[in-house]
Amino acid sequence: MKYEHELIKDISDVIGIENTRKFIERFSGEQLYIPDIKRVSMPERNARIISDYNKGYSVNELKSIYRLSERQIRNILAGYREKRK
Protein backbone atom coordinates (compact mmCIF):
# COMPACT_ATOMS: atom_id res chain seq x y z
CA MET A 1 0.00 0.00 0.00
CA LYS A 2 1.26 3.45 -0.85
CA TYR A 3 1.92 6.05 1.76
CA GLU A 4 -0.36 9.08 1.65
CA HIS A 5 2.28 11.45 0.25
CA GLU A 6 3.09 8.97 -2.56
CA LEU A 7 -0.57 8.72 -3.48
CA ILE A 8 -0.94 12.51 -3.54
CA LYS A 9 2.13 12.78 -5.77
CA ASP A 10 0.66 10.17 -8.15
CA ILE A 11 -2.64 12.06 -8.27
CA SER A 12 -0.90 15.37 -8.97
CA ASP A 13 1.12 13.71 -11.75
CA VAL A 14 -2.16 12.76 -13.42
CA ILE A 15 -4.40 15.79 -12.82
CA GLY A 16 -1.89 18.54 -12.02
CA ILE A 17 -0.99 20.34 -8.81
CA GLU A 18 -3.81 22.90 -8.90
CA ASN A 19 -6.47 20.26 -9.51
CA THR A 20 -4.94 18.14 -6.74
CA ARG A 21 -5.33 21.08 -4.36
CA LYS A 22 -8.97 21.51 -5.42
CA PHE A 23 -9.53 17.78 -4.99
CA ILE A 24 -8.04 17.82 -1.49
CA GLU A 25 -10.06 20.91 -0.51
CA ARG A 26 -13.27 19.28 -1.70
CA PHE A 27 -12.73 15.74 -0.38
CA SER A 28 -10.38 16.23 2.58
CA GLY A 29 -11.24 13.78 5.36
CA GLU A 30 -13.52 11.66 3.16
CA GLN A 31 -12.98 8.01 2.40
CA LEU A 32 -13.13 7.54 -1.34
CA TYR A 33 -13.47 4.42 -3.43
CA ILE A 34 -12.23 4.71 -6.99
CA PRO A 35 -13.76 1.94 -9.08
CA ASP A 36 -11.97 0.03 -11.79
CA ILE A 37 -12.32 1.62 -15.24
CA LYS A 38 -14.18 -1.46 -16.49
CA ARG A 39 -16.89 -0.88 -13.90
CA VAL A 40 -17.21 2.78 -14.84
CA SER A 41 -17.45 2.09 -18.57
CA MET A 42 -19.94 -0.79 -18.24
CA PRO A 43 -23.10 1.28 -18.92
CA GLU A 44 -21.52 2.68 -22.09
CA ARG A 45 -20.45 -0.80 -23.22
CA ASN A 46 -23.91 -2.19 -22.50
CA ALA A 47 -25.51 0.61 -24.51
CA ARG A 48 -23.26 -0.27 -27.46
CA ILE A 49 -24.24 -3.94 -27.14
CA ILE A 50 -27.94 -3.04 -27.16
CA SER A 51 -27.45 -0.71 -30.11
CA ASP A 52 -25.54 -3.36 -32.07
CA TYR A 53 -28.21 -5.95 -31.27
CA ASN A 54 -30.90 -3.57 -32.51
CA LYS A 55 -28.86 -3.11 -35.71
CA GLY A 56 -29.13 -6.84 -36.33
CA TYR A 57 -26.03 -8.35 -34.73
CA SER A 58 -26.67 -11.81 -33.30
CA VAL A 59 -25.89 -12.83 -29.74
CA ASN A 60 -23.06 -15.01 -31.08
CA GLU A 61 -21.56 -12.07 -32.95
CA LEU A 62 -21.88 -9.81 -29.91
CA LYS A 63 -20.18 -12.28 -27.58
CA SER A 64 -17.23 -12.44 -29.97
CA ILE A 65 -17.03 -8.68 -30.45
CA TYR A 66 -17.27 -7.83 -26.74
CA ARG A 67 -15.55 -10.96 -25.40
CA LEU A 68 -18.44 -11.83 -23.12
CA SER A 69 -20.32 -15.05 -22.58
CA GLU A 70 -23.67 -15.72 -24.18
CA ARG A 71 -25.27 -15.51 -20.74
CA GLN A 72 -23.74 -12.08 -20.11
CA ILE A 73 -25.01 -10.77 -23.45
CA ARG A 74 -28.47 -12.19 -22.83
CA ASN A 75 -28.56 -10.67 -19.33
CA ILE A 76 -27.65 -7.24 -20.73
CA LEU A 77 -30.39 -7.53 -23.36
CA ALA A 78 -32.91 -8.81 -20.81
CA GLY A 79 -32.15 -5.87 -18.50
CA TYR A 80 -32.74 -3.49 -21.39
CA ARG A 81 -36.05 -5.14 -22.25
CA GLU A 82 -37.13 -5.02 -18.61
CA LYS A 83 -36.42 -1.29 -18.37
CA ARG A 84 -38.51 -0.64 -21.47
CA LYS A 85 -41.65 -2.18 -19.91
Side-chain angles (χ1 to χ4, degrees), residues 12-34:
S12 67
D13 288 346
V14 172
I15 66 173
I17 293 171
E18 187 56 35
N19 285 329
T20 301
R21 287 183 184 150
K22 290 176 184 177
F23 185 85
I24 291 170
E25 286 173 7
R26 170 64 178 88
F27 297 105
S28 182
E30 298 285 335
Q31 280 192 325
L32 298 174
Y33 166 74
I34 300 173

Side-chain angles (χ1 to χ4, degrees), residues 2-69:
K2 291 187 175 191
Y3 290 104
E4 188 174 311
H5 66 278
E6 292 173 323
L7 183 59
I8 290 172
K9 183 186 179 321
D10 287 349
I11 292 170
S12 67
D13 288 346
V14 172
I15 66 173
I17 293 171
E18 187 56 35
N19 285 329
T20 301
R21 287 183 184 150
K22 290 176 184 177
F23 185 85
I24 291 170
E25 286 173 7
R26 170 64 178 88
F27 297 105
S28 182
E30 298 285 335
Q31 280 192 325
L32 298 174
Y33 166 74
I34 300 173
D36 185 272
I37 191 68
K38 289 180 186 178
R39 177 77 59 198
V40 172
S41 62
M42 230 185 264
E44 180 182 306
R45 181 210 60 195
N46 292 353
R48 286 194 318 270
I49 289 170
I50 292 162
S51 175
D52 288 347
Y53 182 78
N54 289 334
K55 290 175 186 172
Y57 285 86
S58 70
V59 171
N60 280 331
E61 290 171 316
L62 294 171
K63 72 180 197 176
S64 295
I65 293 168
Y66 292 97
R67 297 185 176 141
L68 297 172
S69 70

Side-chain angles (χ1 to χ4, degrees), residues 46 49-50 53-54 59 62 70-85:
N46 292 353
I49 289 170
I50 292 162
Y53 182 78
N54 289 334
V59 171
L62 294 171
E70 182 174 336
R71 174 178 271 163
Q72 288 171 303
I73 296 291
R74 290 194 185 281
N75 285 342
I76 291 165
L77 296 172
Y80 168 70
R81 289 184 196 115
E82 189 64 33
K83 287 180 183 176
R84 291 182 62 201
K85 286 184 179 180

